Amino acid sequence: MSRRIGFSTMRYENAPCIISGAAIVGPTEGEGPLGKYFDIVLEDDLWGEKSWEKAESKMFEEAVKLTLEKANKKSEDIQLMLGGDLLNQIISANFAARTLRIPFLGLFGACSTMAESLLVGSALVDGGYANEAICATCSHFSTAERQFRFPLELGSQKSPTAQRTVTGAGASLLSRNGDGPRVKYGTVGTVIDLGIKDAGNMGAAMAPAAVHTITAHLRDLDRTPDEYDLIVTGDLGALGSDIVRDMIKEQGITLGSNYTDCGCEIFSKEQDTHCGGSGCGCSASVLNTFILKRMREGVLKKVMFVATGALLSPTSSQQGESIPGVAHALTIEM
Amino acid sequence: MSRRIGFSTMRYENAPCIISGAAIVGPTEGEGPLGKYFDIVLEDDLWGEKSWEKAESKMFEEAVKLTLEKANKKSEDIQLMLGGDLLNQIISANFAARTLRIPFLGLFGACSTMAESLLVGSALVDGGYANEAICATCSHFSTAERQFRFPLELGSQKSPTAQRTVTGAGASLLSRNGDGPRVKYGTVGTVIDLGIKDAGNMGAAMAPAAVHTITAHLRDLDRTPDEYDLIVTGDLGALGSDIVRDMIKEQGITLGSNYTDCGCEIFSKEQDTHCGGSGCGCSASVLNTFILKRMREGVLKKVMFVATGALLSPTSSQQGESIPGVAHALTIEM
């Protein structure tokens, strides 16, 4: 029996329920407009650890634990965890999985990981391969800066198109049964590269992939954007989300005021983060607190969540490669 | 309807068929005992590219194309690709996905990626979320050395417990219909760490995860090792596979002469690779040529394929972390 619609969209017949979600963020994120929604706001981004990398892994682990607690579950009851992060060899996720001891599928979709983990996790729960699945991801400003850009100690100035990697971890618990928002459809993204080479302009690099996936999702479901209460991309920021509006208009589709981007919502203009937030933790923390809460309250009934990833490494950039992007989309309905 | 057996094993009701497989390897692998089975043996490991990283990505891409060709398929017909590699941000897989333009789910399971991709891909095909799925991975001796160890130009001497990263890419095409070996069961691995810190002894670091997954797979399926014609781990090498035999014996399970490791098979003793082969490409190239061929010939009917991954990064090692391992297991039957 086919659970496929169109070319690249999966239909989750039993529509797995997101029975709980949680997010832990850093101090700057806590000071932002969504600060009050996050479960834990750290006072400092080392969180008592000896390195930022260890702190990032702890954030992943604790976000998972918090999500399970909210659903009155223990980690030993959970049969499946899916997730990843931005660090080389996804060490944040892998080291958290070591402590949690939940059977683990590691993913790498850069900042699209929250959507990728929900997309695969929903299929595995929907199809009866697991009763529950915990989906999680994280990112950390200080680990990302030194891995992808410059050591913080250099005090490098950012370009106006740059975004700030969110220090944040978010997790969702999917279950066949329960109450809450349900994941109904998922579209697997295609890797798209229109030739952007500026690693200080990730929004522009990822925008074409977002457009490709949003149009595929709408086409496969035979829907228009106005059928959604919210269409939200992951971390395109101010410039990237403007590009999405422009590019999608060229295809005859207009995104109205129901379109926004997690990277534009998480920081205020006064926080001077240039184009906004980025990183896996950006969409993960916004989805798993603010958006899920609004859905449970009935304010949002139909949401398209489209997390986007820039698929570069310092090595690929040094070798002159441009930056491909990918985006995965989900329709989540209350 | 549950497709779960025991705690961590998935049952693929419709048992997706591996309708084709292919592998491309480097010159040293071509000179090894399995040389004649590989589809393409490179004369030099740059393959006409400007960097080893670009060559590695090309190997991934061409292995996918070759696998599709063998099944008379075009990339535009395929709805789903799953895979990854060892490089930071899985650039080999991501850049290949950019050219192939098949909707792509990036995975990171280190050297367990071939099993991880087949495990998830089989569920998505089995459950009707995709008609076909191409699963692929690769590794490259020269890119791995400079990323994980030392620049080749240093001419560093290897420790006796070291393994040689296989230059190789392998791909499998899964389909709901067709003839060939079928994937019947998959066990998702748990991340296990017994405290090994020596990055020159990956076999020992991964062995406990392999033991954990093999015993879970046998327990969930209520089977004994002698029911298999072949139980094959991914790239534990000589030392790691000996540790598996010893550790599993302590649990009252004896692995007989039907147990081997792809890392022990791909190089001969005379090739002086110390403990044998490693890397995602090791199990991927052995499975997708030698093992699948033996299955199609009827020599092997029931195979347990257990690819193993060491989940370290240079950063985690520098910060004093030990090396966790993970292993995913599949039962493939003719």
Side-chain angles (χ1 to χ4, degrees):
Chain A
M1 182 198 45
S2 180
R3 287 189 174 101
R4 164 126 329 224
I5 303 177
F7 185 69
S8 52
T9 299
M10 301 179 186
R11 181 173 55 86
Y12 307 120
E13 207 166 68
N14 309 302
C17 181
I18 304 178
I19 56 171
S20 64
I24 300 171
V25 299
T28 313
E29 291 71 18
E31 288 163 11
L34 304 180
K36 64 176 176 182
Y37 293 98
F38 303 125
D39 297 280
I40 297 177
V41 176
L42 304 182
E43 283 179 29
D44 85 289
D45 72 352
L46 262 177
W47 208 6
E49 296 295 315
K50 282 188 178 165
S51 72
W52 290 314
E53 287 76 12
K54 287 182 198 281
E56 182 177 337
S57 186
K58 183 176 172 183
M59 289 174 70
F60 186 110
E61 189 184 325
E62 295 299 325
V64 168
K65 285 186 187 165
L66 208 52
T67 304
L68 296 179
E69 258 173 43
K70 284 187 186 185
N72 291 315
K73 301 274 180 185
K74 288 178 178 164
S75 62
E76 54 264 40
D77 303 328
I78 306 298
Q79 299 164 331
L80 186 63
M81 180 162 77
L82 303 102
D85 59 275
L86 291 176
L87 293 190
N88 300 340
Q89 291 74 55
I90 62 165
I91 48 168
S92 310
N94 279 324
F95 282 91
R98 174 179 69 174
T99 318
L100 292 162
R101 292 189 70 109
I102 305 170
F104 180 58
L105 294 169
L107 307 176
F108 184 83
C111 306
S112 72
T113 305
M114 193 67 236
E116 187 185 1
S117 63
L118 284 170
L119 192 148
V120 179
S122 294
L124 297 180
V125 171
D126 180 60
Y129 303 98
N131 296 330
E132 282 129 4
I134 181 111
C135 302
T137 186
C138 62
S139 58
H140 193 296
F141 172 72
S142 305
T143 67
E145 283 302 304
R146 67 177 171 191
Q147 181 180 284
F148 288 107
R149 298 173 193 102
F150 300 102
L152 284 177
E153 292 80 356
L154 274 181
S156 307
Q157 199 172 0
K158 295 278 180 188
S159 74
T161 54
Q163 295 166 246
R164 182 184 166 97
T165 304
V166 164
T167 299
S172 313
L173 181 59
L174 291 168
S175 176
R176 305 201 83 190
N177 308 307
D179 285 325
R182 290 183 173 270
V183 188
K184 297 201 73 167
Y185 306 100
T187 296
V188 181
T190 300
V191 176
I192 308 281
D193 185 345
L194 295 192
I196 298 285
K197 288 193 175 190
D198 179 4
N201 192 357
M202 302 284 211
M206 296 187 284
V211 171
H212 188 274
T213 300
I214 294 169
T215 53
H217 198 66
L218 291 171
R219 189 174 54 241
D220 286 349
L221 298 182
D222 195 21
R223 288 187 176 179
T224 54
D226 54 13
E227 293 179 56
Y228 286 90
D229 301 313
L230 177 69
I231 296 176
V232 61
T233 44
D235 61 335
L236 297 172
L239 182 61
S241 55
D242 275 352
I243 297 173
V244 163
R245 280 188 195 277
D246 288 349
M247 283 183 76
I248 213 162
K249 208 166 196 174
E250 285 171 19
Q251 301 194 30
I253 299 170
T254 304
L255 293 175
S257 60
N258 60 344
Y259 169 62
T260 190
D261 179 80
C262 297
C264 298
E265 300 294 327
I266 197 164
F267 296 122
S268 65
K269 286 221 162 62
E270 293 68 42
Q271 288 184 289
D272 194 22
T273 60
H274 299 282
C275 272
S278 68
C280 308
C282 180
S283 62
S285 53
V286 175
L287 174 72
N288 286 299
T289 56
F290 179 66
I291 296 175
L292 290 189
K293 187 169 187 293
R294 286 292 170 107
M295 293 194 81
R296 285 213 183 84
E297 289 168 353
V299 182
L300 299 172
K301 289 201 178 76
K302 209 178 267 193
V303 172
M304 188 198 299
F305 174 69
V306 193
T308 46
L311 306 171
L312 79 165
S313 83
T315 304
S316 69
S317 293
Q318 282 158 14
Q319 294 185 3
E321 275 290 1
S322 50
I323 305 171
V326 75
H328 304 292
L330 298 163
T331 286
I332 308 173
E333 294 182 7
M334 195 57 207
Chain B
M1 182 197 45
S2 179
R3 287 190 175 100
R4 163 121 336 218
I5 304 177
F7 185 69
S8 53
T9 299
M10 301 179 186
R11 180 173 54 86
Y12 306 120
E13 207 166 69
N14 309 301
C17 181
I18 304 178
I19 56 171
S20 64
I24 299 171
V25 299
T28 312
E29 291 71 17
E31 288 162 10
L34 304 180
K36 65 176 176 182
Y37 293 99
F38 303 124
D39 297 280
I40 296 176
V41 175
L42 304 181
E43 283 179 29
D44 85 288
D45 72 352
L46 261 177
W47 207 5
E49 295 295 315
K50 283 188 177 166
S51 72
W52 290 314
E53 287 76 12
K54 287 182 198 283
E56 182 177 337
S57 186
K58 183 177 171 182
M59 289 174 70
F60 186 110
E61 188 184 325
E62 296 299 325
V64 167
K65 285 186 187 165
L66 209 52
T67 303
L68 296 178
E69 258 174 42
K70 284 189 186 183
N72 291 314
K73 301 275 181 184
K74 289 177 177 165
S75 62
E76 54 264 39
D77 303 328
I78 307 298
Q79 299 164 330
L80 186 62
M81 180 162 76
L82 303 102
D85 58 276
L86 291 177
L87 294 189
N88 299 340
Q89 291 74 55
I90 63 165
I91 50 169
S92 310
N94 279 325
F95 283 90
R98 174 179 70 173
T99 318
L100 292 162
R101 291 188 71 107
I102 305 170
F104 180 57
L105 293 170
L107 307 176
F108 184 83
C111 306
S112 73
T113 305
M114 192 68 234
E116 188 184 0
S117 63
L118 284 169
L119 192 148
V120 179
S122 295
L124 297 179
V125 171
D126 180 61
Y129 303 98
N131 296 328
E132 281 128 5
I134 182 110
C135 302
T137 186
C138 62
S139 57
H140 194 295
F141 171 72
S142 305
T143 67
E145 284 302 306
R146 67 176 170 193
Q147 181 180 283
F148 288 107
R149 297 173 194 101
F150 299 102
L152 284 177
E153 293 81 355
L154 276 181
S156 307
Q157 198 172 1
K158 294 279 181 187
S159 74
T161 54
Q163 295 166 245
R164 183 185 165 96
T165 304
V166 164
T167 300
S172 313
L173 181 59
L174 291 168
S175 176
R176 302 202 83 186
N177 309 305
D179 285 325
R182 289 181 175 271
V183 188
K184 298 202 71 167
Y185 306 100
T187 297
V188 181
T190 300
V191 177
I192 308 280
D193 186 344
L194 295 192
I196 297 284
K197 289 194 175 190
D198 179 4
N201 192 359
M202 302 284 211
M206 295 187 284
V211 170
H212 188 273
T213 300
I214 294 169
T215 52
H217 198 65
L218 291 171
R219 188 175 53 241
D220 286 350
L221 298 182
D222 195 20
R223 287 187 178 179
T224 54
D226 54 12
E227 293 178 55
Y228 286 90
D229 300 314
L230 177 69
I231 296 176
V232 61
T233 44
D235 62 334
L236 296 173
L239 182 60
S241 55
D242 275 353
I243 297 174
V244 163
R245 279 187 196 278
D246 288 349
M247 283 183 75
I248 213 162
K249 210 168 193 171
E250 285 171 19
Q251 302 195 29
I253 298 170
T254 304
L255 293 175
S257 60
N258 60 344
Y259 169 62
T260 189
D261 180 81
C262 297
C264 298
E265 300 294 327
I266 198 164
F267 296 122
S268 65
K269 285 221 162 62
E270 293 68 41
Q271 287 184 290
D272 193 21
T273 60
H274 299 281
C275 272
S278 68
C280 307
C282 180
S283 62
S285 54
V286 175
L287 174 72
N288 285 299
T289 57
F290 179 66
I291 297 174
L292 289 188
K293 187 170 188 293
R294 285 294 171 103
M295 293 194 81
R296 287 213 181 84
E297 290 168 353
V299 182
L300 299 172
K301 290 201 177 77
K302 208 178 268 194
V303 173
M304 189 198 299
F305 175 70
V306 192
T308 46
L311 306 171
L312 80 165
S313 83
T315 304
S316 69
S317 293
Q318 282 158 14
Q319 293 186 3
E321 274 289 1
S322 50
I323 306 170
V326 74
H328 304 290
L330 297 163
T331 286
I332 308 174
E333 294 182 7
M334 195 58 206

